[in-house]
Amino acid sequence: AIVGVSRDINKIGHVIFQNFIESDFKGNVYAVNPNVEEVLGYKTFSSVNDIDEVDLVVIAVPADLVLDVVKDCGKKKVRNVVIISSGFAEVGNEKLEKELKKLLDKYDIKAVGPNCLGLYDSYSEVDTIFMPKSRVKRPEKGKVSFVSQSGAVGGAILDLMSDNGFGFSKFISYGNGVNLDISDFLEYLKDDENTDVICFYLEGVKDGERFFEVLKEVSKVKPVIGIKAGVSEEGREAIVSHTGSLSGDDLIYDGIFKQCGVVRANSVEELFDFV
């Protein structure tokens, strides 16, 4: 279910819904908007509670409405959400982000986001990227997966992979990482049968110890290539305003990558060469 599907073709919810209905996605897709009766010829629902069964809810509404949607998901016993909406810690609204985390924990909901592009899986065609395929191309099926804290860098990577004919498995942009972060996605990709190579673009981590332990285990199973952003002072300042995270000392990350067997790329071009 996609919450926030507007009739306005430029709105995020509309684009995501259109991407789904124009893809080969095999499941049911529902549009949620209490203010209109249909979008693109599909009946809309007032709330996720009005739909029989929902596995995943994509939330694309203004930040001040996100908590209400999460409450609806909790009552519906939806366990998985992708929160595209921005307006949280990255703009200094830590209070709202803390409330969001509390609510997600209360209802035992796993969330990708907020402030992210979300997910793209070339095999299942789950695609929550809010840019039309005419603007950001989706790569062909392949065995490389990419995890990015930054949506902008992630979008550029998708474009480059498409243009250069790289096969792609999964793309994960997790933004502020309110309750799932890079460690969770690395663990998942370690066991994913459609992923042979794991790449990541990192701005900072909240739990360094867990990141270190997970990275050590994952790199024993599959090659891992990483880019660490925020090497300069200016870069570190930009990161705080981007995903609300602290980047940490570059030397520490360099040491972690070396100890864990991660191939460090210093640019996107280098990343492609290593892939």
Side-chain angles (χ1 to χ4, degrees):
I2 296 140
V3 181
V5 179
S6 161
R7 280 184 175 166
D8 182 343
I9 60 167
N10 298 309
K11 290 287 173 71
I12 285 171
H14 183 102
V15 175
I16 295 169
F17 184 61
Q18 187 162 14
N19 284 343
F20 263 103
I21 61 177
E22 288 176 355
S23 74
D24 291 327
F25 178 67
K26 300 291 186 285
N28 296 320
V29 187
Y30 304 99
V32 178
N33 182 337
N35 302 314
V36 296
E37 290 183 2
E38 62 84 30
V39 173
L40 295 172
Y42 288 78
K43 175 194 169 190
T44 59
F45 294 81
S46 298
S47 145
V48 291
N49 289 308
D50 298 333
I51 306 166
D52 287 342
E53 192 180 346
V54 190
D55 296 315
L56 173 69
V57 171
V58 182
I59 302 174
V61 296
D64 58 346
L65 301 176
V66 169
L67 298 188
D68 289 337
V69 177
V70 171
K71 282 175 195 165
D72 285 344
C73 291
K75 289 172 197 156
K76 184 72 183 169
K77 298 200 164 25
V78 173
R79 290 288 171 259
N80 309 288
V81 299
V82 175
I83 307 171
I84 305 293
S85 318
S86 55
F88 294 86
E90 81 284 357
V91 292
N93 202 344
E94 284 89 2
K95 183 171 177 280
L96 187 61
E97 193 157 311
K98 279 178 186 159
E99 285 175 28
L100 173 62
K101 182 166 183 358
K102 209 162 132 189
L103 210 51
L104 293 165
D105 291 345
K106 176 185 172 183
Y107 290 115
D108 192 23
I109 295 172
K110 298 290 183 210
V112 177
N115 180 36
C116 70
L117 280 179
L119 314 170
Y120 171 62
D121 180 348
S122 67
Y123 290 84
S124 69
E125 298 260 348
V126 167
D127 181 355
T128 73
I129 296 168
F130 59 80
M131 282 176 275
K133 291 170 186 174
S134 57
R135 271 187 60 202
V136 172
K137 296 189 274 298
R138 311 306 196 255
E140 297 297 313
K141 284 189 182 72
K143 295 288 186 176
V144 178
S145 285
F146 190 81
V147 185
S148 178
Q149 207 161 353
S150 160
V153 171
I157 293 278
L158 285 175
D159 255 352
L160 285 164
M161 292 202 101
S162 301
D163 290 342
N164 290 291
F166 280 93
F168 207 80
S169 177
K170 290 172 181 65
F171 166 81
I172 303 160
S173 150
Y174 63 94
N176 297 8
V178 68
N179 78 348
L180 290 178
D181 68 6
I182 187 154
S183 302
D184 299 293
F185 303 122
L186 289 171
E187 275 188 328
Y188 169 79
L189 292 170
K190 173 172 75 81
D191 300 322
D192 176 45
E193 60 182 19
N194 291 323
T195 300
D196 289 347
V197 179
I198 301 168
C199 305
F200 67 79
Y201 175 91
L202 185 66
E203 295 182 342
V205 293
K206 289 171 183 166
D207 185 343
E209 202 171 320
R210 180 167 178 244
F211 177 63
F212 181 72
E213 293 304 325
V214 168
L215 211 47
K216 215 159 45 174
E217 292 309 308
V218 175
S219 63
K220 287 176 189 170
V221 180
K222 292 174 182 177
V224 180
I225 305 164
I227 296 182
K228 170 66 180 71
V231 175
S232 67
E233 185 58 41
E234 293 85 352
R236 285 196 283 275
E237 284 172 14
I239 281 166
V240 175
S241 65
H242 189 212
T243 54
S245 63
L246 298 171
S247 74
D249 193 309
D250 189 63
L251 286 171
I252 294 169
Y253 283 94
D254 207 44
I256 287 171
F257 290 177
K258 280 174 181 159
Q259 288 176 67
C260 295
V262 172
V263 178
R264 181 168 186 176
N266 293 308
S267 65
V268 172
E269 290 80 6
E270 241 183 32
L271 177 92
F272 279 100
D273 290 342
F274 295 158
V275 164

